[in-house]
Amino acid sequence: AQASKATWLPVEKEYKSKHVAYVIVEPNCFYCKRLYIQLMPFIKEKSVAVRWIVTAVLQPSSEEKAAVLLQAKDPLKALHSVYFQHLELHVDAVLPATKDVLTKNNKLLTDYQLGVPAIIYKSVNQSYKVLLGVPSYESMQLAILDMQGEFDDN
């Protein structure tokens, strides 16, 4: 349940869903962009609440691009701009607090030997499951039905 302790983008306060996914992404990750686009219909219909965990591990520009998301006034709009509209956004400086968040989020990848994108969730049988890459639409539907709420911190 380490994913529940990571810092995620506060983008879905407007609703709750009994299906919760922690999705680890990287701004320079092509497959993360594909996963974002694939998840949007499920998010819009409120089938799943996504906790976007941003990392910076693929390229030298990753830290600044991740900071754009983490330091944005509207993180969802920034995420959409980067992943859907393919805009290049910039920040004046990567704040020390943002660097700390990225260090912690990046550690999640290395501690569990994960790549990006990764979807982590608690299943109906209370086990934790990980999906790596971009699952098919049908596999994503089945996974969402298997997802439960927030992780227990115990």
Side-chain angles (χ1 to χ4, degrees):
Q2 286 288 341
S4 68
K5 295 177 183 164
T7 299
W8 61 81
L9 297 180
V11 295
E12 294 161 25
K13 293 179 182 177
E14 66 274 7
Y15 74 90
K16 297 275 187 190
S17 175
K18 68 178 186 172
H19 305 290
V20 177
Y22 294 81
V23 179
I24 305 173
V25 295
E26 214 277 7
N28 284 312
C29 170
F30 169 78
Y31 293 103
C32 296
K33 293 176 185 181
R34 286 187 51 205
L35 180 61
Y36 173 84
I37 291 166
Q38 182 176 320
L39 282 169
M40 286 316 298
F42 296 108
I43 293 169
K44 286 182 179 178
E45 67 187 25
K46 301 180 179 162
S47 297
V48 64
V50 175
R51 309 294 182 244
W52 298 103
I53 301 172
V54 179
T55 61
V57 295
L58 294 179
Q59 296 179 14
S61 65
S62 294
E63 183 178 85
E64 181 187 1
K65 289 180 179 181
V68 165
L69 303 176
L70 292 166
Q71 295 174 196
K73 290 182 181 170
D74 185 343
L76 181 57
K77 185 177 180 182
L79 187 69
H80 188 75
S81 295
V82 169
Y83 278 168
F84 190 72
Q85 297 172 324
H86 310 290
L87 298 179
E88 288 289 328
L89 305 176
H90 301 280
V91 291
D92 292 332
V94 179
L95 301 175
T98 300
K99 288 185 182 212
D100 291 344
V101 165
L102 288 171
T103 298
K104 183 172 70 169
N105 288 357
N106 293 348
K107 189 175 182 322
L108 184 64
L109 287 176
T110 56
D111 285 355
Y112 291 96
Q113 299 177 349
L114 299 173
V116 288
I119 302 168
I120 305 169
Y121 65 94
K122 183 171 66 173
S123 72
V124 292
N125 67 8
Q126 302 302 305
S127 65
Y128 295 100
K129 294 190 177 180
V130 177
L131 297 173
L132 296 176
V134 183
S136 70
Y137 186 84
E138 294 77 18
S139 295
M140 192 75 249
Q141 284 179 310
L142 292 173
I144 288 171
L145 291 175
D146 187 39
M147 292 175 187
Q148 291 302 296
E150 303 286 345
F151 289 171
D152 298 323
D153 288 332
N154 301 332

